[in-house]
Amino acid sequence: MKISIIAFDDFTDIDVFFMWDLLNRVNHPDWKVQILGDQCCHTSSTGLRLHTHGRLEEANTSDAVLFASGKGTRRKINDEPFLSAFNLDSSRQLIGSMCSGALILAALGLLEGKRATTYPTSKRLLESMYVTVVEEPFVREGNVATAAGCLAAQYLVGWVIEELIGKTERDAALKSIQPVGEGLMFADLEASEVLPNAPFVRQQSTS
Amino acid sequence: MKISIIAFDDFTDIDVFFMWDLLNRVNHPDWKVQILGDQCCHTSSTGLRLHTHGRLEEANTSDAVLFASGKGTRRKINDEPFLSAFNLDSSRQLIGSMCSGALILAALGLLEGKRATTYPTSKRLLESMYVTVVEEPFVREGNVATAAGCLAAQYLVGWVIEELIGKTERDAALKSIQPVGEGLMFADLEASEVLPNAPFVRQQSTS
């Protein structure tokens, strides 16, 4: 199974990296996660440089395609070469977006007559694209889903993992990122601890 | 104010990028966030390449220093050149860690006789370093704090923002990443929407 995250310049850091990290927690021999873009590198809205793993066209043969968010989405919805690279098919692919990534789904015609969610700062723009925008963290319409508010990536990625592999793997991935004592307990993972050589402990200076 | 995130090879993606993203949501003229390392680039445990912004020694003049986590911490607690670069002082700096980053705090002598938390897979190792490990998401001992379970970054970063700037800025940063309808409402940020040129909406093919 191949899962593609779509990035572009001026992406919101957390919306790419949270999906990436969570998806990579799946332990399955047939599970490949990749970040695609129309350049070899994209720069986030805070200036971090991200090396992409492949071209946008690889999304068309992916089992799941997840669009990132950020200021850059406002340019991408008017970027015809970018939009033309996609030939997605919701009858055979899971397609989703984080926050303002919903604008790209709309520009690709994937939200026609559908309900969707987006970040508050792109609500009116998404409405102007003939989408019914609802104030919910995760909206699924068949194989097309939108999530909004960065931490809602848990719903979006959880959906992809459950649909492609199963609920057990979804639950394990989501549990592994919860705060200790609030969803993740020591006993859940302690047995998998690997101890290295004896660590060096420096005495703190008294100054 | 200068806030430094310490990275290294084999870091856990989300524990660097979540702190980075959250800290960058602070809108204050005197607020600089940087990622430091002992190389120009570090590679995460999933293979993402991260360009660092400066040398480890810059941590010593930072107002807050936050250690990332990941498999790489097991090497760093035995890496004397790495440890020697730090001359941190909890009387004038906020010092914190995510997950197994607590191992580095312990190796630096900053957790002597203190309570701390860490990721389940590094609990016994941290205990072997004479630290009282507790099953809590966030443990603060004066100006030294540990957080564990990736989403507990909210507690750690929230603490730093509140201590250095104030509660209003902390609350605003944390609210901005909550799921829509579950902590973040459209009305919270909608007014700041900027509309671009009219977007292009492609008709979906009927095939």
Side-chain angles (χ1 to χ4, degrees):
Chain A
M1 282 161 290
K2 193 166 70 171
I3 299 89
S4 296
I5 298 170
I6 311 300
F8 32 78
D9 285 330
D10 260 339
F11 67 87
T12 296
D13 299 76
I14 192 67
D15 284 341
V16 166
F17 296 120
F18 193 11
M19 290 200 289
W20 168 261
D21 181 290
L22 252 182
L23 286 164
N24 273 287
R25 286 167 189 263
V26 171
N27 190 8
H28 190 283
D30 178 28
W31 186 259
K32 182 187 175 191
V33 189
Q34 56 185 6
I35 300 174
L36 307 179
D38 56 15
Q39 293 175 48
C40 67
C41 291
H42 286 296
T43 304
S44 78
S45 58
T46 63
L48 285 195
R49 217 166 143 72
L50 169 70
H51 298 254
T52 51
H53 302 122
R55 294 156 49 89
L56 296 176
E57 286 75 5
E58 290 192 37
N60 302 324
T61 56
S62 297
D63 298 284
V65 182
L66 300 172
F67 287 83
S69 74
K71 282 185 274 184
T73 57
R74 279 65 165 184
R75 283 196 298 278
K76 288 310 189 189
I77 56 177
N78 286 303
D79 180 342
E80 181 52 23
F82 173 84
L83 297 173
S84 300
F86 297 103
N87 185 22
L88 305 180
D89 179 356
S90 62
S91 73
R92 59 175 178 81
Q93 297 176 292
L94 302 179
I95 304 168
S97 63
M98 275 310 301
C99 296
S100 64
L103 297 171
I104 300 175
L105 294 194
L108 290 172
L110 292 161
L111 294 179
E112 278 178 76
K114 291 185 172 145
R115 295 164 71 252
T117 188
T118 191
Y119 203 69
T121 49
S122 52
K123 172 178 175 271
R124 284 182 295 168
L125 180 54
L126 186 59
E127 285 173 338
S128 78
M129 297 167 84
Y130 311 104
V131 178
T132 304
V133 182
V134 296
E135 196 167 42
E136 296 175 18
F138 178 69
V139 179
R140 178 187 174 179
E141 293 255 11
N143 281 344
V144 177
T146 51
C150 310
L151 295 181
Q154 294 170 89
Y155 301 119
L156 183 64
V157 171
W159 169 65
V160 168
I161 297 174
E162 185 166 350
E163 291 287 323
L164 295 182
I165 309 190
K167 189 172 183 311
T168 305
E169 290 76 5
R170 168 197 170 277
D171 290 349
L174 291 180
K175 173 178 266 201
S176 74
I177 61 157
Q178 299 306 310
V180 163
E182 297 179 354
L184 176 64
M185 307 307 285
F186 282 147
D188 291 325
L189 293 172
E190 202 174 350
S192 55
E193 176 159 357
V194 178
L195 294 170
N197 296 331
F200 170 84
V201 179
R202 184 163 86 179
Q203 293 300 307
Q204 192 169 24
S205 77
T206 52
S207 66
Chain B
M1 282 162 290
K2 193 165 70 170
I3 297 90
S4 295
I5 298 170
I6 311 300
F8 33 78
D9 285 329
D10 260 339
F11 68 87
T12 295
D13 299 77
I14 191 67
D15 284 341
V16 166
F17 295 120
F18 193 11
M19 290 201 289
W20 167 262
D21 181 291
L22 252 181
L23 286 164
N24 272 288
R25 287 167 189 263
V26 171
N27 190 7
H28 190 283
D30 178 29
W31 186 259
K32 183 188 175 190
V33 189
Q34 57 185 5
I35 300 174
L36 306 179
D38 56 15
Q39 293 174 47
C40 67
C41 291
H42 286 297
T43 304
S44 78
S45 58
T46 63
L48 283 195
R49 217 166 143 73
L50 169 70
H51 298 254
T52 51
H53 302 122
R55 295 157 48 90
L56 296 176
E57 287 76 4
E58 289 192 38
N60 301 325
T61 56
S62 297
D63 298 283
V65 183
L66 300 171
F67 288 83
S69 74
K71 284 184 273 183
T73 57
R74 278 67 165 184
R75 283 196 298 278
K76 286 313 189 188
I77 57 178
N78 285 304
D79 180 342
E80 181 50 23
F82 173 84
L83 297 172
S84 299
F86 297 104
N87 185 22
L88 305 180
D89 179 356
S90 62
S91 74
R92 58 175 179 81
Q93 297 177 292
L94 302 179
I95 304 169
S97 63
M98 274 311 300
C99 297
S100 64
L103 298 171
I104 300 176
L105 293 193
L108 290 172
L110 292 162
L111 294 179
E112 278 179 77
K114 291 187 172 144
R115 296 165 71 253
T117 189
T118 191
Y119 202 69
T121 50
S122 52
K123 172 178 175 272
R124 284 182 295 168
L125 180 54
L126 187 60
E127 285 173 338
S128 78
M129 297 168 84
Y130 310 104
V131 178
T132 304
V133 182
V134 295
E135 197 167 40
E136 295 175 18
F138 177 69
V139 179
R140 178 187 174 180
E141 292 255 10
N143 280 345
V144 178
T146 50
C150 310
L151 295 181
Q154 294 170 88
Y155 300 119
L156 183 65
V157 171
W159 169 65
V160 168
I161 297 173
E162 183 165 351
E163 290 288 323
L164 295 182
I165 309 189
K167 189 173 184 310
T168 305
E169 289 76 4
R170 169 197 170 277
D171 291 348
L174 290 180
K175 174 178 267 200
S176 73
I177 61 157
Q178 300 306 310
V180 163
E182 297 179 353
L184 176 64
M185 307 306 286
F186 282 146
D188 291 325
L189 294 172
E190 202 175 348
S192 56
E193 177 159 356
V194 178
L195 294 169
N197 296 331
F200 171 84
V201 179
R202 184 162 86 180
Q203 293 299 308
Q204 192 170 23
S205 78
T206 51
S207 65

